[in-house]
Amino acid sequence: MLNSSDIQFLLVIRESASLLATAHKLGLTPSAVTQRLQQLEKKLGIQLMDRSARQLQFTDEGDLLCRRGIGIIDQFNVLLEELHARRHGMVGKLTINAPFGFGRRYVASVVAAFRQRYPDVEIRMTLSDQPLVASSDRFDLVIHIGELRSSNLISHYIAPNRRIVCASPGFAERHGLPEHPRDLAMLPTIALHENNEDVTLWQFRQRRTTVNIRTQPVLISNDGEVIRQWAAEGLGIIMRSEWDVADALAEGKLVPLLPDWKPPDANVVALTRQSAGLPERTRTFMRMMQEQFRPHAPWRLRLRDLASRQ
């Protein structure tokens, strides 16, 4: 009969992407891992791995067992946590993936506050320029900024966030202010590469009109702080989240462009694998994230102060 340890064993194989890596992670020999896999297949009477593939690949049945098994393990862990919580309070592990800049500036402080309040919860936070590309099964919570295209993850709203097109005052003086988004195609731009998105295609809306512009970046980086600095030094135009450029705009290092044209919003959200049955530690952490930006996100206050001075 299949048990939870069998499912966890298969999930470790899928996450490790090789039997050798699985052996290292479990502290076993490669032959022991292979033997256990064969015993599991014999017990179920089905083949779970495709031996003919060049790379590690599950059969349809093996993939189904992994996908359904995640939910079973999650439900089992939630049950155990509820039992522990009745006696010990908040316990368990919380794994978080967040973008570099936003993670450093806003998520890390919530992690610190959460840890002080709930010292029995073990937290692992990973910062990445591609949080959606990494295997979502490895994380309880993924902090994402921007549009969520095709995904089986559940979105939980955290804070409002707009995108702003901007450049340095010196750049605007040298090149002039663009009057229409199509003018950007003839100007040097700087792009942020993240989540394998099409970073050269910029979209704008004005009332019911939508315009897509193919830019020609002269600089590209996977670090938002770097491209903001390049823009402040007058090297090109950037499209960035207001949380990232609000201070630079308020200090006059950057100026907004095309105020009558709006790029799509890029709200801050938390992504989970499921909507119901989340562990209490995950729900509590999301609430603390949301509370940090109420009643107003700090970047909105900075931009509001800037507007009042103009």
Side-chain angles (χ1 to χ4, degrees):
M1 181 180 295
L2 191 70
N3 56 47
S4 61
S5 64
D6 293 328
I7 297 174
Q8 290 173 328
F9 172 66
L10 288 177
L11 293 178
V12 172
I13 294 177
R14 188 173 74 162
E15 181 179 329
S16 302
S18 76
L19 295 182
L20 180 60
T22 301
H24 288 316
K25 183 168 292 187
L26 296 178
L28 301 173
T29 63
S31 61
V33 171
T34 300
Q35 184 178 9
R36 182 174 178 184
L37 177 60
Q38 291 172 344
Q39 290 172 345
L40 180 56
E41 290 178 324
K42 183 178 180 180
K43 180 167 58 174
L44 294 174
I46 57 176
Q47 185 176 345
L48 300 174
M49 305 293 301
D50 184 356
R51 267 57 167 193
S52 64
R54 290 188 176 181
Q55 296 181 335
L56 183 68
Q57 183 173 328
F58 283 93
T59 62
D60 290 343
E61 291 78 11
D63 183 64
L64 174 64
L65 184 55
C66 286
R67 286 187 285 107
R68 296 285 182 85
I70 289 176
I72 294 173
I73 295 299
D74 286 343
Q75 292 176 12
F76 184 71
N77 289 337
V78 168
L79 174 60
L80 289 180
E81 288 159 11
E82 290 179 356
L83 294 175
H84 282 298
R86 287 174 180 262
R87 183 176 180 183
H88 302 292
M90 193 88 73
V91 295
K93 297 181 179 180
L94 179 61
T95 55
I96 303 165
N97 196 356
F100 281 128
F102 193 84
R104 285 191 294 261
R105 192 178 304 185
Y106 293 108
V107 183
S109 59
V110 179
V111 169
F114 185 94
R115 173 66 183 175
Q116 290 177 346
R117 190 177 303 179
Y118 306 107
D120 292 328
V121 176
E122 178 185 336
I123 304 176
R124 176 170 61 88
M125 184 177 77
T126 300
L127 300 183
S128 171
D129 62 334
Q130 297 185 340
L132 289 183
V133 176
S135 173
S136 60
D137 295 338
R138 296 171 48 219
F139 300 97
D140 300 309
L141 204 64
V142 176
I143 303 301
H144 176 65
I145 300 175
E147 181 183 359
L148 185 64
R149 296 180 174 86
S150 58
S151 174
N152 58 355
L153 299 176
I154 308 301
S155 177
H156 309 264
Y157 179 84
I158 298 296
N161 179 59
R162 294 188 298 263
R163 287 190 176 98
I164 299 176
V165 176
C166 51
S168 71
F171 180 93
E173 183 176 346
R174 290 194 308 273
H175 295 272
L177 297 177
E179 298 180 357
H180 190 277
R182 61 173 171 265
D183 297 337
L184 298 176
M186 306 301 295
L187 293 170
T189 58
I190 304 172
L192 176 67
H193 179 72
E194 57 182 353
N195 286 323
N196 286 343
E197 295 177 352
D198 187 349
V199 298
T200 66
L201 186 64
W202 291 7
Q203 185 180 93
F204 296 86
R205 294 191 183 97
Q206 186 185 69
R207 299 183 183 89
R208 297 183 179 180
T209 301
T210 299
V211 177
N212 293 314
I213 300 299
R214 180 66 67 180
T215 61
Q216 301 294 328
V218 295
L219 293 167
I220 299 177
S221 174
N222 67 335
D223 190 304
E225 185 175 343
V226 168
I227 73 164
R228 187 184 67 245
Q229 182 61 37
W230 285 340
E233 293 175 2
L235 299 179
I237 298 171
I238 58 173
M239 178 187 290
R240 283 299 289 141
S241 291
E242 59 179 320
W243 72 262
D244 185 43
V245 297
D247 289 344
L249 291 169
E251 295 165 3
K253 296 179 180 178
L254 295 173
V255 293
L257 307 177
L258 298 171
D260 296 330
W261 291 87
K262 305 297 182 184
D265 288 342
N267 293 331
V268 183
V269 299
L271 305 175
T272 61
R273 293 194 301 269
Q274 59 197 61
S275 57
L278 291 174
E280 180 60 30
R281 62 179 178 271
T282 303
R283 294 197 299 269
T284 300
F285 184 85
M286 285 196 295
R287 284 196 296 269
M288 291 180 65
M289 282 289 297
Q290 293 166 338
E291 290 167 0
Q292 181 181 205
F293 305 115
R294 293 174 178 167
H296 303 290
W299 52 84
R300 286 285 167 92
L301 295 176
R302 292 284 281 168
L303 294 178
R304 183 177 300 177
D305 291 342
L306 174 63
S308 66
R309 296 197 304 266
Q310 292 178 341

